[in-house]
Amino acid sequence: MIFTDLEAELQTAVEHRRNFAIISHPDAGKTTLTEKLLLYGGAIHEAGAVKARRAQRKATSDWMAMEQQRGISITSTVLQFEYHDCQINLLDTPGHQDFSEDTYRTLAAADNAVMLIDAAKGLEPQTRKLFEVCKLRKLPIFTFVNKLDRPGREPLELLDEIEQELGLQTYAVNWPIGTGDRFKGVFDRRNQQIHLFERSAHGSREAISTVINLGDPRIEQLLDKDLYHQFKDDLELIEGIGPELDSDLVHQGKMTPVFFGSAMTNFGVELFLDTFLDYALKPGARNSNLGEMQPTYPEFSGFVFKLQANMDPKHRDRVAFIRVCTGKFEKDMTVSHSRTGKTIRLSRPQKLFAQDRESIDYAYPGDVIGLNNPGVFAIGDTIYNGQKIEYEGIPSFSPELFASLRNPNPSKFKQFLKGVSELREEGAVQIMYSADEMKREPILAAVGQLQFEVVQFRLLQEYGVETLLDTLPYTVARWVTAGWEALEKAGRLFNTVTVKDSLGRPVLLFRNEWNCQQVEGDCPELKLSAVSPLLSSS
């Protein structure tokens, strides 16, 4: 009977939870949209757009000093708030393309994705790349076309681009009335209502809107005649040729509901949030070694998708971000750690809100909690109660830039080792080592140059260590999935260097793709992979 009551409690909790990540190309306005969602969710009272100006109020989701100096997002944060009786877990991802791997990890913890598109630029390279990850995970995708208050492309043209390039059916949930300087509001197709907006100062507070039912004679007095006729023509067209909304196709990631608006001026943000709650997928089943685990399974389980050191520099803390998958999490509960077999007491759990945290007593499937990490957790780890569960791991992707990292000050050797170890654990950068034991310097492996800069910046700021970088002439990395034995059998390899990853597995570095293809052709038994082999602790 206890389990029956608990399952009913879990079912209710799942019904009232929504979890999503925002993906976009840099500068599409992702952090601004995040701030405005928090504003409408009542989590903050005044939104601070990200600008690299000290005078501007700092954005809530960008807590790292380097982000605030440069006006960019380079780490994932978790923002939790309540809205209309729903607990929302918003997984804010890096907007900078050099940090796409952090985004991949965050998407592993998300149930839905919001794809943000700049109305003037349409689909951009980083958006396409992240869309592919969403597609692999079969995530429902909601599209928010942003910056309608600036000159941009025709809405119909943007819908066509999404359909042609991403192979997604589109359904316009709302439709813009005017664009650029003449952007007056949106038509909510669901409720057949026009929302006309008034701008607030820099969009820092909620937009004031006038809501009019379609067919109300006042519309023609409030809108310029040409705008009104253009809107009616567009509406007739999308009603005539567009598909009906199919929630099953949305949940399968085959149809995307599209919203038009402006995060900067708050036009359309509240409408998006209201509709998203109705259409989004609730926390669902996740693949494990025991098959699909339903969120209402009574035993607690969760997995680590992110680690972060020094979120609070005063306390030199290390936090593990855990996605709750099944059962009910309770403060001070004791769980098993699938990779090591150890038993761990989960004390001091925290609800996260960027760098702000508050203690919690319980959490449910779909929630993200922060746990102090005394060096126990690694990304992809599963913790559980009851029968041993192990969720699918989170792979590392092939880096494209490599550099050896040197510590020129021997007196800082301990701090250097500690800093490198903790930054590696949290996935700030991949770290490899030469197969030659005489060469002790770590090799940083990254997707983009900014990752190197962040590592050096944080080593200096958080560990007091100055470092030197020596760029290495490689652009391709491949894991040898058959292991060291296969590598030894293959004998001498040309145009490559052998290193080992942080788990001691062999990795080959190549100067270019051609060299890589040459070795693959000569030694097929090596089974080279651009993605690290997934770990299994069973």
Side-chain angles (χ1 to χ4, degrees), residues 144-445:
F144 189 93
V145 180
N146 194 24
K147 303 187 181 180
L148 264 289
D149 58 321
R150 300 181 188 180
R153 290 162 59 185
E154 287 296 320
L156 284 167
E157 188 187 329
L158 291 166
L159 292 184
D160 189 55
E161 183 176 53
I162 293 167
E163 295 199 349
Q164 297 299 320
E165 294 203 24
L166 302 183
L168 276 176
Q169 284 191 59
T170 61
Y171 177 84
V173 178
N174 64 25
W175 196 256
I177 300 170
T179 57
D181 290 343
R182 302 187 74 201
F183 180 43
K184 301 297 181 190
V186 294
F187 171 62
D188 174 13
R189 292 178 70 191
R190 191 164 65 146
N191 296 309
Q192 295 288 293
Q193 291 176 324
I194 288 175
H195 291 245
L196 300 177
F197 301 109
E198 290 177 36
R199 295 171 192 250
S200 64
H202 308 297
S204 62
R205 300 193 180 276
E206 296 177 23
I208 301 161
S209 66
T210 303
V211 181
I212 303 172
N213 290 323
L214 191 66
D216 190 313
R218 288 181 299 158
I219 297 171
E220 297 192 50
Q221 296 160 17
L222 293 167
L223 286 176
D224 292 343
K225 191 177 266 189
D226 63 323
L227 268 188
Y228 180 57
H229 286 297
Q230 178 67 50
F231 157 66
K232 278 177 54 173
D233 289 347
D234 285 351
L235 192 59
E236 199 174 315
L237 189 62
I238 60 169
E239 294 283 4
I241 64 168
E244 291 292 310
L245 181 70
D246 185 327
S247 57
D248 287 340
L249 289 179
V250 171
H251 292 164
Q252 291 165 26
K254 294 176 180 175
M255 173 182 272
T256 179
V258 181
F259 303 80
F260 293 89
S262 162
M264 183 60 77
T265 59
N266 301 338
F267 288 12
V269 175
E270 188 176 23
L271 265 177
F272 163 74
L273 196 49
D274 290 342
T275 311
F276 172 80
L277 291 184
D278 290 342
Y279 292 171
L281 208 54
K282 301 174 185 78
R286 300 191 77 85
N287 287 329
S288 77
N289 62 323
L290 300 178
E292 284 206 334
M293 300 301 298
Q294 296 296 333
T296 50
Y297 177 73
E299 298 281 13
F300 164 77
S301 69
F303 72 91
V304 180
F305 69 93
K306 177 180 170 60
L307 298 174
Q308 187 74 58
N310 303 326
M311 286 180 77
D312 182 352
K314 290 177 193 165
H315 297 102
R316 314 289 297 165
D317 63 345
R318 295 160 82 192
V319 176
F321 290 67
I322 312 276
R323 152 75 194 232
V324 180
C325 298
T326 66
K328 181 180 180 180
F329 168 87
E330 295 184 84
K331 183 181 178 181
D332 291 327
M333 74 190 306
T334 301
V335 298
S336 299
H337 186 265
S338 66
R339 179 170 52 85
T340 63
K342 290 180 178 174
T343 300
I344 306 167
R345 184 165 171 259
L346 303 181
S347 57
R348 294 175 61 202
Q350 297 154 343
K351 174 183 173 182
L352 301 152
F353 191 82
Q355 78 272 46
D356 300 326
R357 280 163 284 167
E358 62 182 68
S359 183
I360 59 164
D361 295 320
Y362 53 85
Y364 293 97
D367 287 343
V368 172
I369 53 175
L371 294 171
N372 279 347
N373 176 29
V376 174
F377 298 116
I379 288 167
D381 280 355
T382 299
I383 54 175
Y384 64 94
N385 272 335
Q387 190 176 359
K388 182 175 181 179
I389 299 175
E390 193 169 29
Y391 291 105
E392 290 178 332
I394 301 173
S396 296
F397 290 80
S398 179
E400 294 160 23
L401 297 175
F402 303 86
S404 61
L405 184 70
R406 287 190 290 127
N407 166 35
N409 187 347
S411 68
K412 297 276 188 177
F413 184 66
K414 273 190 177 175
Q415 295 96 313
F416 174 73
L417 281 185
K418 184 182 182 193
V420 167
S421 172
E422 291 186 358
L423 292 177
R424 175 192 63 75
E425 280 177 10
E426 71 177 63
V429 70
Q430 289 185 53
I431 292 181
M432 300 176 180
Y433 293 89
S434 172
D436 180 349
E437 297 297 335
M438 301 297 290
K439 296 178 182 174
R440 302 288 301 278
E441 280 127 3
I443 297 166
L444 303 188

